[in-house]
């Protein structure tokens, strides 16, 4: 009954590879997010989608491409992985994306690029 | 634009001591403020929201508009309180609302 789930939990890959991280929420929320947490625990938003529509796109390299097949899923595809992409990636969701709403986070995906 | 500052990157206290994690904000409009907590290798979770005015796990946070602060306090820290704490300010609503988390404060409660 996990509310927000992510796969895989761990991802170790070589530079230059392409990889995807999947996220699913069963809360019926309209809005989903991707965050990146670096080694210093700095947590920064990357993208948000509301009902499959891209709402927020922070200054993220275009190697990162989110895809939302439906409002319960938000996947993150990363092309040509670089060493600096190593981080923990968190998916989150909130009911409508409005101010004051609680965001519910997934367990995170630890990406290590070698 | 909303901005939050958590001036302490690291905070270390002994078990049973009072703890205060600082959060200062600059905000245009009415702030929506939160404290989120991340225990070791776990997901982030909401600790409390200023509009709820509740106490969770012994923690409280009062919005001080005069000082533009939303400090998190607990009178007697416990070892299980050791975690990363984030104080993100919310946006002003609308579909482009986002939480800005930043660097957070790592709290260590020593035995």
């Amino acid at each position: 009954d996990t509310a927000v789930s992510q796969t895989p939990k761990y991802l170790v890959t070589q530079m230059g590879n392409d990889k995807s991280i999947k996220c699913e929420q069963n809360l019926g929320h309209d809005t989903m997010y991707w965050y990146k947490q670096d080694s210093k625990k700095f947590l920064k938003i990357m993208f948000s989608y509301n009902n499959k529509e891209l709402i927020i796109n922070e200054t993220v390299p275009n190697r990162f491409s989110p895809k939302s097949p439906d409002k319960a899923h938000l996947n993150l595809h990363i092309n040509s992985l670089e060493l600096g992409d190593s981080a923990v990636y968190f998916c989150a969701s909130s009911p409508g994306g409005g101010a004051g709403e609680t965001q519910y986070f997934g367990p995170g995906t630890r990406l290590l690029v070698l | 634009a909303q901005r939050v500052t958590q001036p302490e990157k690291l905070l270390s206290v002994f078990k049973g001591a009072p703890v205060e994690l600082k959060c200062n904000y600059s905000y245009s409009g009415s702030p929506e403020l939160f404290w989120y907590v991340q225990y070791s290798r776990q997901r982030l979770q909401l600790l409390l929201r200023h509009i709820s005015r509740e106490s969770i796990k012994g923690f409280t946070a009062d919005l001080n508009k005069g000082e533009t602060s939303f400090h998190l306090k607990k009178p007697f820290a416990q070892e299980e309180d050791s975690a990363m704490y984030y104080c993100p300010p919310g946006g002003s609503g609308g579909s482009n609302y986002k939480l800005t988390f930043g660097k957070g404060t790592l709290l260590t409660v020593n035995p």
Side-chain angles (χ1 to χ4, degrees):
Chain A
D1 281 8
T2 305
V4 183
S5 58
Q6 294 177 230
T7 54
K9 198 169 180 181
Y10 299 95
L11 187 52
V12 182
T13 188
Q14 300 284 337
M15 263 175 47
N17 284 349
D18 303 338
K19 291 293 178 184
S20 292
I21 308 172
K22 295 186 177 182
C23 178
E24 177 181 1
Q25 54 94 4
N26 62 6
L27 297 167
H29 289 169
D30 286 343
T31 305
M32 296 184 72
Y33 310 82
W34 276 111
Y35 289 88
K36 179 180 180 181
Q37 187 180 46
D38 64 22
S39 59
K40 297 182 179 178
K41 303 294 186 181
F42 189 96
L43 185 63
K44 188 176 179 182
I45 191 166
M46 301 173 69
F47 302 102
S48 83
Y49 270 72
N50 182 279
N51 262 318
K52 303 193 295 176
E53 182 184 347
L54 180 65
I55 299 299
I56 294 172
N57 184 348
E58 293 294 283
T59 50
V60 177
N62 57 15
R63 297 182 295 104
F64 290 79
S65 52
K67 283 188 174 55
S68 182
D70 54 63
K71 74 173 193 178
H73 296 84
L74 180 61
N75 304 322
L76 184 65
H77 188 76
I78 315 170
N79 288 325
S80 303
L81 278 155
E82 300 178 357
L83 295 177
D85 297 333
S86 296
V88 182
Y89 292 84
F90 286 99
C91 176
S93 72
S94 67
E101 290 182 353
T102 300
Q103 292 194 9
Y104 296 82
F105 283 80
T109 296
R110 293 181 176 274
L111 171 64
L112 178 60
V113 182
L114 303 174
Chain B
Q2 312 84 22
R3 194 177 302 168
V4 69
T5 305
Q6 290 180 249
E8 302 137 331
K9 193 173 176 182
L10 302 169
L11 183 60
S12 182
V13 300
F14 286 102
K15 177 182 171 182
V19 64
E20 180 180 74
L21 292 96
K22 291 185 169 51
C23 174
N24 299 298
Y25 67 90
S26 62
Y27 213 88
S28 54
S30 299
E32 295 282 354
L33 292 166
F34 308 81
W35 277 99
Y36 279 77
V37 61
Q38 185 182 23
Y39 300 103
S40 179
R41 292 188 171 261
Q42 292 189 27
R43 68 186 73 201
L44 266 88
Q45 55 188 289
L46 178 71
L47 183 61
L48 49 79
R49 303 162 54 181
H50 91 274
I51 59 173
S52 302
R53 303 183 67 82
E54 57 194 344
S55 174
I56 303 292
K57 298 184 179 183
F59 284 98
T60 58
D62 291 319
L63 178 63
N64 186 323
K65 290 188 177 181
E67 296 179 359
T68 60
S69 68
F70 188 55
H71 301 331
L72 183 69
K73 300 176 185 178
K74 185 169 182 176
F76 307 104
Q78 302 299 315
E79 289 179 67
E80 55 265 29
D81 295 329
S82 297
M84 278 295 298
Y85 290 82
Y86 294 91
C87 172
S92 55
S95 60
N96 62 348
Y97 164 71
K98 62 182 179 183
L99 290 179
T100 306
F101 281 85
K103 297 178 182 178
T105 298
L106 177 62
L107 172 65
T108 303
V109 181
N110 301 299

